[in-house]
Amino acid sequence: MFLIFDVSKDFKDGRLSCYLNNSGDDRPKFKVSDKPLDGYRHFGRLVASMKNYEV
């Protein structure tokens, strides 16, 4: 699945957003959530998704 985020769109409650971890610790670099995440910076809001099937 491909997820497309728009970095110019701000957080909106209940909508999926991408969050970025710049601290360099052991936590994942990117996370997706519909709520703000402590220790992560808002990166962009989800605007589209696409399923890709290979046969």
Side-chain angles (χ1 to χ4, degrees):
M1 177 179 285
F2 293 101
L3 300 175
I4 296 103
F5 296 92
D6 187 340
V7 296
S8 67
K9 293 197 180 265
D10 294 328
F11 172 79
K12 188 172 183 181
D13 195 33
R15 293 287 193 85
L16 287 176
S17 288
C18 181
Y19 292 88
L20 177 64
N21 173 11
N22 281 337
S23 65
D25 57 14
D26 292 340
R27 293 178 298 169
K29 180 80 173 171
F30 295 98
K31 279 193 168 187
V32 176
S33 178
D34 62 348
K35 295 176 178 46
L37 298 174
D38 289 337
Y40 284 81
R41 180 177 63 85
H42 183 262
F43 185 69
R45 190 165 16 130
L46 183 69
V47 293
S49 65
M50 181 177 73
K51 291 183 179 178
N52 182 26
Y53 297 100
E54 293 186 25
V55 198

